[in-house]
Amino acid sequence: MKLVKLIANLGYGSRKEVAAMFREGRITDASGEVLYADDQVEHADLRLDDAPLDPAAGLLILLNKPIGFTCSTKDKGRVIYDLLPPRFRLRNPALSPVGRLDRDTSGLLLLTDDGALLHRITSPKSHLPKCYLAELASDLRGDEASAFASGTLLLESETTALAPATLEAVTSRHARLVLVEGRYHQVRRMFAAVGNHVLSLERVSIGGLEIGDLAPGQWRVLDTADRHSLFEGG
Ligand code: URA
């Protein structure tokens, strides 16, 4: 791919703007040598104003989504893209959330520009376990774990039973719940189905990938080892 297109696709500017960056000598290789638009240089060797470029297409990001942000580009309120560099919104291919978390749910959210990877993670066939910590308004009754594990639980207005899910009581009002599917507001609706109400909800892992000590609002680029733990560690 031509360098102007490559850099424009990363969201640094329009092709016209990137062409101007070349003319201004702002694009160099790692040794500081000024590059021309027709040069052939590896992505890793490119610099803009002496800084390495963002990762190339095929990007996978882990964001610790805070409460109050929606997984949308269009929403009027605060959106997850506000937490990332502004140019990330302009990337081509686009960087999209892998599944969604509600505005009032926090925790592990993946974003990628790799459609095949997105499908591999979200496909019901992948059965990737997603682990949530829920704080509840009422004490657990004691029968929730068997109801959730039954494979027969129906959510309101649905006709297909939920796949078995694993609930572990942490305290009388805190539970760890592992799902292998991702229906709309699933955790909140599951607890509503057993007469409870979720006060707060955090996703702490997908597969073997954990949120760890990443602070709310922080994000990091996932590497090959992370991708392995995503699919293998669950
Ligand atoms: N279940 C919910 O209810 N909300 C989420 O954001 C994710 C799972």
Side-chain angles (χ1 to χ4, degrees), residues 100-102 105 132 179 183 185-189 201:
R100 284 170 179 246
L101 290 176
D102 305 338
T105 301
Y132 295 86
L179 308 182
R183 301 196 198 179
H185 289 182
Q186 182 168 341
V187 174
R188 295 173 199 277
R189 291 163 74 212
L201 186 61

Side-chain angles (χ1 to χ4, degrees), residues 3 35 45 98 103 130 132 138 141 154 183 198 228:
L3 290 182
L35 293 174
D45 209 23
V98 179
R103 189 167 61 87
K130 293 175 277 276
Y132 295 86
S138 310
R141 299 186 307 216
L154 274 179
R183 301 196 198 179
V198 172
H228 281 301

Side-chain angles (χ1 to χ4, degrees), residues 20-184:
M21 292 173 191
F22 274 99
R23 286 197 300 276
E24 289 156 8
R26 294 171 60 195
I27 297 171
T28 62
D29 67 12
S31 70
E33 186 159 333
V34 170
L35 293 174
Y36 295 92
D38 284 337
D39 285 338
Q40 302 224 326
V41 182
E42 291 294 319
H43 186 109
D45 209 23
L46 285 164
R47 299 288 181 274
L48 169 59
D49 298 333
D50 294 326
L53 296 185
D54 294 333
L59 179 61
L60 180 63
I61 282 179
L62 186 165
L63 169 70
N64 186 350
K65 186 185 106 49
I67 291 166
F69 288 77
T70 49
C71 295
S72 155
T73 40
K74 298 183 192 109
D75 229 70
K76 287 214 179 72
R78 293 180 295 174
V79 297
I80 51 171
Y81 294 94
D82 298 340
L83 301 162
L84 303 169
R87 61 180 177 273
F88 276 25
R89 268 187 218 239
L90 306 172
R91 285 175 66 107
N92 177 20
L95 192 61
S96 310
V98 179
R100 284 170 179 246
L101 290 176
D102 305 338
R103 189 167 61 87
D104 294 329
T105 301
S106 62
L108 195 163
L109 182 73
L110 298 175
L111 293 104
T112 188
D113 57 9
D114 180 338
L117 178 63
L118 188 148
H119 181 259
R120 190 173 165 212
I121 299 169
T122 54
S123 162
K125 287 187 194 142
S126 78
H127 295 293
L128 264 190
K130 293 175 277 276
C131 180
Y132 295 86
L133 293 181
E135 183 191 356
L136 304 165
S138 310
D139 285 355
L140 289 160
R141 299 186 307 216
D143 61 349
E144 294 86 352
S146 60
F148 291 173
S150 68
T152 60
L153 188 71
L154 274 179
L155 294 178
E156 196 177 295
S157 74
E158 292 198 2
T159 51
T160 314
L162 292 176
T166 309
L167 176 133
E168 188 193 318
V170 179
T171 71
S172 59
R173 293 200 184 186
H174 292 87
R176 178 184 291 273
L177 181 60
V178 180
L179 308 182
V180 291
E181 53 187 351
R183 301 196 198 179
Y184 180 67

